Amino acid sequence: MTGLEFEKPVRDLQERIAELKNFTSTTDVDLSDEIAKLELRLKKLEDDIYNSMTPWDRVQMARHPNRPTTLDYISHLFEDFFELHGDRTYGDDAAIVAGVAKYHGTPVTVIGHQRGRDTKENIKRTFGMPHPEGYRKALRLMKQAEKFKRPIICLIDTKGAYPGKAAEERGQSEAIARNIFEMAGLHVPIICIVIGEGGSGGALALGVGDRLFMLENSTYSVISPEGAAALLWKDASLAKRAAETMKITALDLHSLGIIDKIIPEVRGGAHRDALGQALLIDDVLKPALQSLQIIDSDTLIEQRYEKYKQIGGYAEEKTGPKG
Amino acid sequence: MAIKDMFTKQKPKKKKYATIPSEAAKQDVPEGIMQKCPKCKKIMYKKELKKNHQVCLGCGYHYQMTAYERIESLLDEGSFRELDAELSTANPLNFPNYDEKIAADQKKTGMTEAIVTGIGSIDGHEAAFAIMDASFRMGSMGSVVGEKIARAVEEAIRLHIPFIIFTASGGARMQEGVLSLMQMVKTGAALKRLSDCGGLIISVMTHPTTGGVSASFASLGDYNFAEPGALIGFAGRRIIEQTIREKLPEDFQTAEFLLNCGQLDAVLHRSDMKEKLSFLLDIHQPGGDKK
């Protein structure tokens, strides 16, 4: 079963409906009236539950093991994806996949964090947590995209940059900083979509763009809820509370003016239907890309700068802070 | 009088037997005129220490400096003109107890935030400065730090002068959540602009420079320097040890370690700082592309 804790009432009802259906099909008793009633109730229950998800429920959803990954979306959204490897300096980091593809006929560069779908793949991909060479590969291909005037599409899905000895030695900080710096000045449209977890600087290194979208049940935060709880209240078990206080859901980021749009998810979460979810992404991505392609590149960079310049909450006077 | 009267009493502890210094001793020698080095235990006069830019005369240990101490020790006397001093946080996430913590640190440090920005000069070379101060909420970066840096960089662009930053920060400020994170982009994008119009950027990382600060403006200088012994890194030591399940070397993430890894242009001793910065400012004149 792939269901989450808060979905249990839905699951129970679904099981009962299945039982009745099974009973109807194996005996002469007709229960179709009852089944129809229950199905109506199920719809209402689903509405109730999925419309009142807490931030913590969404964290669980964003981390769901079956949640579609970058490669899943690439195969549904793009034609002829051609993966390209390596940073030309040190190595190839499988925690980031990147390449060229066609999107509705237009050549694009696609880059995204890649989690593994099982333990073996997760080890190879270091759980989608990149090393500096991953970010440098991404930057190399972004520069290539700029040279050939291809728009860039970034899919964000990481717990964060890999916290390791080698990563520090090879300049994790510098790699992230460099990507932010360079992305701010790329002369081609950049669209970033958070598809799962947007973890801190490790996400941001693929996250500077002209449009920033988040899937409904994705999160974006400066630190994981567990990390925040440990740091702020010295108790990692308060993660649930941290998820609420830290304002990390798509809805929160939209109301803080950080993201441009929330991409709705298929009922019950993206993992229920990867193709259906890809179509929902397509509905937002296609017009966004079209609208950016007609803007000249200097204006694009100017608008990108203004977009980030306005983010923050401060007061000019010492007294009477504004919210 | 007792020698110990000459030290600052940092943490007054309950004493079993009260020692009452004589009135005469109190008047003769003011309290806190001496300081002991935490590394080599050398005892020095505070004034002597200040004259030596808060560097131990025995072992060269670099004490943390407040922003204003650094300005005084580095910039031409009377040249500094502060910018945006009144900017303070608006607690944008309505984070519980945050306002109180800020108020307490404002009272403790006499600063409104963890950074001081402004225009000043070194040996007559004008530059925009951003000086972080780790004594204010561990130098953490929230909306105000990001905004003040971006504005100082914009001022450097406007005046065609270089931008010099001294970092001292534990990273992003948790209480401003993802807004803190986005300051990495705001500052990085501003520096990109300055860089694109030919402006010189110098970053000096001081103890400590970690997390989101090391992964943004601290690492974006045309020249990246560090003070001796400074802790610099992205992830914390503990989390790395937990992840890779091995003990890290003692000097891991120190300035000297990073210099060996090729991550820094140089480690600069504080007593050479002014001279080296002055030299660079000199060879880069004028600071920006005068259009």
Side-chain angles (χ1 to χ4, degrees):
Chain A
M1 208 60 204
T2 58
L4 298 165
E5 180 80 38
F6 73 95
E7 300 174 289
K8 196 167 181 300
V10 172
R11 228 156 41 229
D12 291 346
L13 196 55
Q14 280 169 337
E15 276 167 25
R16 272 182 63 196
I17 293 171
E19 266 172 39
L20 290 186
K21 278 186 177 166
N22 188 35
F23 189 74
T24 314
S25 64
T26 51
T27 60
D28 289 343
V29 191
D30 181 20
L31 292 172
S32 52
D33 273 2
E34 286 78 357
I35 292 173
K37 255 188 213 161
L38 281 182
E39 277 178 339
L40 209 69
R41 226 175 90 194
L42 176 68
K43 198 179 167 300
K44 196 179 168 303
L45 184 69
E46 282 186 331
D47 278 346
D48 285 351
I49 286 191
Y50 293 123
N51 290 338
S52 59
M53 284 171 69
T54 66
W56 185 244
D57 295 337
R58 294 192 198 274
V59 169
Q60 302 310 309
M61 205 78 114
R63 291 173 178 172
H64 198 288
N66 295 343
R67 193 167 174 86
T69 66
T70 290
L71 282 174
D72 295 319
Y73 289 127
I74 285 177
S75 69
H76 291 311
L77 279 169
F78 303 98
E79 306 113 59
D80 308 323
F81 176 67
F82 188 161
E83 188 176 352
L84 304 166
H85 296 274
D87 72 341
R88 299 291 185 275
T89 304
Y90 179 81
D92 183 44
D93 186 354
I96 287 182
V97 294
V100 287
K102 277 189 170 178
Y103 179 65
H104 295 288
T106 307
V108 293
T109 290
V110 193
I111 303 170
H113 301 97
Q114 183 62 41
R115 288 181 289 116
R117 272 154 298 189
D118 52 47
T119 309
K120 199 178 155 204
E121 200 194 351
N122 257 325
I123 288 166
K124 177 185 153 198
R125 300 195 184 275
T126 52
F127 295 82
M129 295 189 283
H131 280 70
E133 50 272 24
Y135 295 123
R136 288 172 183 144
K137 166 171 73 178
L139 183 58
R140 178 177 76 80
L141 293 169
M142 286 192 248
K143 290 272 188 184
Q144 184 194 68
E146 183 182 41
K147 177 178 173 185
F148 297 107
K149 300 189 168 48
R150 281 195 294 267
I152 299 165
I153 294 156
C154 292
L155 301 178
I156 294 166
D157 185 17
T158 184
K159 290 185 184 302
Y162 189 79
K165 183 166 177 273
E168 297 288 319
E169 287 168 346
R170 295 201 286 272
Q172 190 72 289
S173 289
E174 197 272 346
I176 294 170
R178 188 63 49 195
N179 279 23
I180 293 171
F181 182 83
E182 294 294 348
M183 287 180 90
L186 287 173
H187 286 81
V188 288
I190 309 170
I191 297 180
C192 307
I193 307 173
V194 186
I195 59 170
E197 286 181 277
S200 189
L204 212 52
L206 300 184
V208 182
D210 303 296
R211 294 288 183 274
L212 182 54
F213 303 129
M214 282 176 78
L215 298 198
E216 192 186 336
N217 295 316
S218 63
T219 58
Y220 205 157
S221 64
V222 67
I223 188 172
S224 70
E226 290 84 354
L231 213 66
L232 290 164
W233 306 306
K234 317 271 176 252
D235 185 355
S237 67
L238 295 172
K240 213 168 162 174
R241 190 174 127 198
E244 272 153 43
T245 322
M246 300 287 288
K247 307 266 194 291
I248 62 173
T249 67
L251 215 62
D252 292 327
L253 269 89
H254 193 254
S255 62
L256 288 169
I258 297 174
I259 62 165
D260 296 280
K261 205 173 249 180
I262 301 169
I263 300 177
E265 290 196 17
V266 295
R267 186 188 281 273
H271 58 282
R272 311 252 170 200
D273 178 8
L275 177 60
Q277 189 57 52
L279 293 174
L280 287 170
I281 294 174
D282 195 45
D283 287 343
V284 174
L285 181 57
K286 197 178 165 194
L289 189 58
Q290 279 168 347
S291 70
L292 291 173
Q293 278 179 303
I294 53 171
I295 302 174
D296 78 275
S297 66
D298 287 343
T299 312
L300 203 61
I301 291 172
E302 184 64 32
Q303 288 176 356
R304 199 181 295 155
Y305 182 75
E306 292 305 327
K307 176 184 171 66
Y308 286 96
K309 181 66 173 49
Q310 54 85 27
I311 298 175
Y314 53 84
E316 297 276 347
E317 298 297 323
K318 225 181 151 179
T319 49
K322 56 178 190 240
Chain B
M1 64 158 265
I3 286 181
K4 68 178 177 205
D5 291 338
M6 299 198 294
F7 292 88
T8 312
K9 291 186 183 97
Q10 282 168 336
K11 281 181 195 161
K13 284 177 191 161
K14 264 192 183 169
K15 283 178 195 156
K16 247 185 176 174
Y17 309 101
T19 45
I20 303 161
S22 68
E23 283 305 309
K26 270 187 190 169
Q27 281 160 15
D28 281 357
V29 186
E31 191 188 87
I33 63 160
M34 303 200 88
Q35 187 138 359
K36 187 161 140 188
C37 173
K39 205 173 161 196
C40 74
K41 315 288 179 218
K42 183 182 168 70
I43 292 164
M44 294 157 284
Y45 284 103
K46 273 196 166 175
K47 276 198 173 158
E48 181 176 42
L49 196 60
K50 190 180 167 188
K51 212 174 153 196
N52 203 35
H53 311 287
Q54 307 288 342
V55 176
C56 172
L57 287 102
C59 68
Y61 171 81
H62 282 53
Y63 284 81
Q64 285 192 13
M65 258 180 159
T66 66
Y68 290 112
E69 277 171 349
R70 191 168 304 271
I71 289 163
E72 198 188 328
S73 108
L74 192 72
L75 271 54
D76 297 341
E77 207 180 325
S79 73
F80 188 70
R81 178 168 60 83
E82 190 170 348
L83 295 168
D84 306 306
E86 72 290 352
L87 234 59
S88 66
T89 181
N91 190 3
L93 303 189
N94 286 317
F95 206 93
N97 304 325
Y98 182 39
D99 289 321
E100 291 79 352
K101 281 180 174 154
I102 289 291
D105 273 18
Q106 284 175 338
K107 201 173 161 203
K108 184 185 86 184
T109 61
M111 301 170 63
T112 45
E113 257 291 344
I115 193 164
V116 174
T117 56
I119 310 294
S121 60
I122 294 177
D123 292 339
H125 303 294
E126 202 172 52
F129 290 88
I131 318 266
M132 300 189 82
D133 193 320
S135 61
F136 190 101
R137 300 238 52 78
M138 281 170 67
S140 60
M141 167 186 56
S143 302
V144 175
V145 169
E147 181 67 17
K148 281 177 88 167
I149 291 174
R151 288 188 189 184
V153 174
E154 284 178 351
E155 199 61 6
I157 296 170
R158 199 177 67 80
L159 298 170
H160 304 289
I161 53 175
F163 175 76
I164 299 178
I165 187 156
F166 281 79
T167 60
S169 174
R173 188 170 298 166
M174 293 299 126
Q175 291 88 348
E176 292 188 30
V178 71
L179 290 171
S180 298
L181 184 70
M182 292 297 153
Q183 304 309 309
M184 293 168 67
V185 185
K186 184 188 280 191
T187 54
L191 289 170
K192 173 68 178 160
R193 279 193 150 192
L194 175 59
S195 186
D196 283 350
C197 49
L200 167 67
I201 304 164
I202 299 176
S203 167
V204 183
M205 296 175 238
T206 76
H207 181 75
T209 296
T210 57
V213 167
S214 84
S216 58
F217 50 85
S219 299
L220 291 173
D222 296 300
Y223 303 92
N224 291 334
F225 301 124
E227 285 193 337
L231 170 77
I232 301 160
F234 180 67
R237 169 184 282 266
R238 218 173 348 138
I239 183 143
I240 297 174
E241 285 184 337
Q242 278 165 10
T243 308
I244 64 173
R245 291 171 204 284
E246 61 178 271
K247 200 108 180 80
L248 292 162
E250 194 62 35
D251 68 342
F252 184 65
Q253 291 180 326
T254 59
E256 294 74 14
F257 177 89
L258 289 170
L259 183 70
N260 267 331
C261 292
Q263 301 299 332
L264 293 171
D265 288 293
V267 174
L268 296 183
H269 194 284
R270 214 175 268 164
S271 58
D272 299 332
M273 191 68 74
K274 188 166 183 169
E275 191 197 325
K276 301 282 188 199
L277 293 183
S278 176
F279 171 76
L280 284 177
L281 289 170
D282 191 54
I283 65 161
H284 284 277
Q285 267 183 328
D289 178 22
K290 286 202 171 124
K291 278 180 191 165

